[in-house]
Amino acid sequence: MVRLPLLWAQRWKAVALLSCRLTPSSRRPHTDSSSRGPDMDEILRRSVAAVPPYETGQKPLSLAQLEGRAREFVQFYRGLEAAHRPAFLAKLAAEYGVDHGLVAELCGRVTEAQSRDLAALLHVEDRLRYSLIPRYKFFFNHICRLEDGVKFIVDLRADILQMLASKSADSPQMREMNGILKMLLSDWFSLGFLNLERITWQSSCELLQKISQYEAVHPVRNWTDIRRRVGPYRRCYVFTHNNMPREPLIVLHVALTDDISKDIQAIVQFGPSPEMTEDASKITTAIFYSISSSQPGLWVELGNYLIKRVVKELQGEFPHMNQFSSLSPIPGFTMWLLGILSNQIKEGKSNQIFAQAEYKEIQDVIEGPVLETLKRLLATNEWVRSDKLVRVLEMPLMRLCAWYLYGEKHRGGALNPVANFHLQNGAVMWRLNWLADTSPRGLSSSSGMMANYRYFLEDTNHNSVQYLRTRYIEASEQILSLVAQYQKISKL
């Protein structure tokens, strides 16, 4: 989480921030178990008992009672220590899901009812459908009707995903609960329920603070930085949901330029002054330079829809705009490259990475064993301190990165997640940019390189369908040329 330093030159904004400061939902008060009231078993029993079994004749609880049980559950869970939550959720999933004995019994009744009249058969099938729904799902539906209930469910699923990833509570029942929540959230967060909002410097300080904290690609440094990113020649858009009005679900930052950018520093560090007046006649290009999902528990693909909505917004504002492109990081490239170097060192080879002339140039610049030294320099980012080494490494690293993006696969698609995202959206792998991000993060993740994925609007649907069906990557001549050079040197 990024905390913005408050500048003396903007003390009025600091006062506004303090006046609207809220306790983040992730900061839950510690509650002593001895004074909490009902224990875990009692809370679970009361919560799930709020949903009566199918056709029991039992009088249903009133709306006020259901809301009370839901609030009790939420309060109890938020007061639990993090270490106790896996056991609580595992118990909920295992003991208050589907009654498998009842399901087996009803399956037998369906078979018997087939020889009777249709009404009897439909009635038994209806009971079977009802019994196949985990009991906790009904209660989750009640929780989402609370004022902050949807946000609670999103955060709850984030906890479950973390537990499944760490194996701390991995079980078939927990995986089933995760799937149930995923389906619920997919329904609740369908496109028709989302609102597109543009964030400006006039937006609430609370919202600006969250936009800054959620920025996952290019961290926000201070208030001047965020002011520049929502100022002239910049746009910031978010999706929100009516049941989570103060929570951005996904954030997209856009730079408005006259050409396709090849350097992120020019956008996030040396961009236009917030006091400048925007000249619409100079704006022909939209650069999507950062997209960040802000709700780990949501896990619903919204990025594609957000980009499409933003394109329409920008076309309405700038009818003459004719170029749309990303300026994207390449996470994972440096790690992949270090793995390649390790394999070459182990096998005593170098001819699968560098051409003979390139290897000699690198050998003349650095001291010591070439591959071992180069691996160390790349791992520590020290290579950028040598102008000669930067020059001789440009072509081989560009070639290797092109192959990493185009040739390395995961389940048939691009291994790199950012590339896969834009290709699924129908973009073209258009250009690699050398030393486009020289920040410590950019050097560590992608050796300073960034990629443009260009959106030709008339072709995006065709490209998307083609990629999803056949995994064919639409790429520019620059990318294909670099890939061909890589294949020739590595003899693939």
Side-chain angles (χ1 to χ4, degrees):
M1 181 179 293
V2 178
R3 295 289 185 188
L4 299 181
L6 303 176
L7 306 180
W8 284 103
Q10 295 155 322
R11 293 180 65 183
W12 63 270
K13 194 70 178 180
V15 173
L17 176 65
L18 292 173
S19 68
C20 71
R21 185 171 52 192
L22 297 179
T23 301
S25 60
S26 60
R27 188 183 300 163
R28 302 175 177 94
H30 170 75
T31 305
D32 184 1
S33 60
S34 63
S35 61
R36 184 177 293 132
D39 62 13
M40 182 185 299
D41 290 326
E42 177 66 13
I43 284 291
L44 291 174
R45 186 191 64 78
R46 285 170 54 81
S47 299
V48 180
V51 183
Y54 184 90
E55 287 187 352
T56 61
Q58 179 181 341
K59 183 179 179 180
L61 297 181
S62 67
L63 291 178
Q65 289 174 310
L66 288 171
E67 181 177 332
R69 298 283 178 92
R71 289 198 178 281
E72 186 179 47
F73 181 96
V74 170
Q75 183 179 6
F76 181 88
Y77 184 81
R78 284 179 170 166
L80 277 177
E81 297 278 352
H84 297 157
R85 290 182 180 178
F88 179 82
L89 291 174
K91 192 176 186 66
L92 176 64
E95 299 182 15
Y96 297 93
V98 172
D99 184 338
H100 300 293
L102 178 60
V103 169
E105 178 187 339
L106 290 173
C107 286
R109 291 188 187 182
V110 168
T111 303
E112 294 173 3
Q114 288 177 342
S115 60
R116 298 159 57 188
D117 61 281
L118 180 60
L121 175 61
L122 294 177
H123 177 73
V124 176
E125 288 178 341
D126 187 51
R127 289 197 64 183
L128 176 60
R129 276 193 298 271
Y130 189 88
S131 66
L132 286 169
I133 301 173
R135 285 173 287 171
Y136 55 71
K137 180 181 178 182
F138 296 103
F139 190 65
F140 287 156
N141 281 326
H142 289 299
I143 290 177
C144 81
R145 297 188 179 103
L146 299 177
E147 183 178 353
D148 59 347
V150 173
K151 172 61 175 171
F152 173 81
I153 293 296
V154 171
D155 292 340
L156 182 75
R157 183 162 185 256
D159 288 346
I160 291 175
L161 288 172
Q162 187 176 8
M163 294 170 195
L164 292 176
S166 66
K167 308 298 183 182
S168 62
D170 192 3
S171 68
Q173 295 97 332
M174 284 295 292
R175 289 194 293 272
E176 180 188 40
M177 180 183 286
N178 178 54
I180 292 292
L181 288 175
K182 182 179 180 179
M183 287 191 294
L184 284 175
L185 293 173
S186 296
D187 291 339
W188 297 342
F189 288 87
S190 61
L191 192 58
F193 296 138
L194 301 179
N195 306 310
L196 180 68
E197 295 185 25
R198 178 186 168 189
I199 307 302
T200 70
W201 187 239
Q202 284 68 46
S203 299
S204 72
C205 56
E206 178 193 354
L207 192 53
L208 288 168
Q209 178 79 5
K210 287 183 177 179
I211 294 298
S212 304
Q213 293 171 355
Y214 292 148
E215 174 54 38
V217 184
H218 306 291
V220 175
R221 300 182 300 277
N222 49 45
W223 277 111
T224 300
D225 193 358
I226 190 61
R227 188 179 183 189
R228 181 185 294 117
R229 297 192 195 194
V230 298
Y233 297 101
R234 299 291 182 268
R235 296 292 185 270
C236 177
Y237 294 95
V238 302
F239 267 150
T240 61
H241 191 279
N242 287 338
N243 286 336
M244 294 172 58
R246 297 183 301 275
E247 285 288 340
L249 306 178
I250 188 168
V251 185
L252 176 65
H253 288 275
V254 187
L256 307 179
T257 68
D258 60 358
D259 199 6
I260 296 179
S261 303
K262 58 175 67 176
D263 181 353
I264 194 61
Q265 283 84 211
I267 292 177
V268 300
Q269 295 183 20
F270 310 109
S273 166
E275 286 75 26
M276 289 184 65
T277 301
E278 200 170 84
D279 184 352
S281 65
K282 296 180 180 179
I283 298 172
T284 61
T285 306
I287 304 296
F288 311 121
Y289 68 91
S290 174
I291 185 165
S292 301
S293 178
S294 60
Q295 307 296 324
L298 190 54
W299 210 263
V300 177
E301 181 52 64
L302 300 176
N304 178 28
Y305 300 117
L306 180 57
I307 287 177
K308 289 180 178 179
R309 287 283 300 276
V310 167
V311 166
K312 290 183 179 180
E313 286 286 315
L314 294 174
Q315 285 180 315
E317 187 177 1
F318 305 101
H320 56 285
M321 183 176 284
N322 55 19
Q323 293 189 119
F324 299 88
S325 174
S326 77
L327 181 58
S328 300
I330 311 172
F333 168 69
T334 300
M335 184 179 296
W336 174 84
L337 176 57
L338 294 176
I340 295 294
L341 287 171
S342 295
N343 290 336
Q344 295 299 298
I345 292 169
K346 184 177 180 180
E347 297 174 6
K349 299 178 180 179
S350 63
N351 60 325
Q352 291 186 345
I353 299 179
F354 306 108
Q356 186 174 358
E358 292 172 346
Y359 187 86
K360 186 177 185 308
E361 281 187 307
I362 297 171
Q363 195 172 36
D364 291 340
V365 174
I366 63 177
E367 299 179 0
V370 172
L371 295 184
E372 289 86 345
T373 305
L374 185 58
K375 180 183 176 183
R376 176 181 59 80
L377 294 174
L378 287 168
T380 60
N381 298 336
E382 293 180 16
W383 64 278
V384 294
R385 299 178 182 177
S386 167
D387 292 339
K388 290 183 179 179
L389 192 56
V390 167
R391 177 181 57 80
V392 299
L393 285 179
E394 178 176 358
M395 183 51 65
L397 290 192
M398 289 275 282
R399 184 172 64 238
L400 285 158
C401 190
W403 175 257
Y404 168 72
L405 292 175
Y406 184 90
E408 292 295 320
K409 305 296 183 182
H410 174 67
R411 296 179 180 177
L415 172 66
N416 183 264
V418 177
N420 189 58
F421 169 78
H422 288 290
L423 293 170
Q424 285 183 343
N425 294 346
V428 174
M429 190 178 289
W430 192 62
R431 186 174 68 192
L432 274 180
N433 302 295
W434 179 244
L435 294 186
D437 183 0
T438 54
S439 68
R441 175 182 291 198
L443 291 170
S444 297
S445 66
S446 60
S447 301
M449 285 176 281
M450 299 188 77
N452 295 119
Y453 298 95
R454 189 166 175 183
Y455 286 80
F456 295 94
L457 301 184
E458 65 277 10
D459 297 328
T460 53
N461 186 61
H462 170 76
N463 293 344
S464 176
V465 171
Q466 183 175 239
Y467 178 74
L468 292 171
R469 287 181 177 176
T470 68
R471 297 305 188 182
Y472 176 80
I473 296 176
E474 197 71 45
S476 68
E477 291 185 7
Q478 183 221 32
I479 300 296
L480 294 176
S481 175
L482 290 169
V483 167
Q485 293 175 39
Y486 174 88
Q487 292 175 316
K488 180 178 180 181
I489 291 174
S490 61
K491 298 178 177 59
L492 288 179

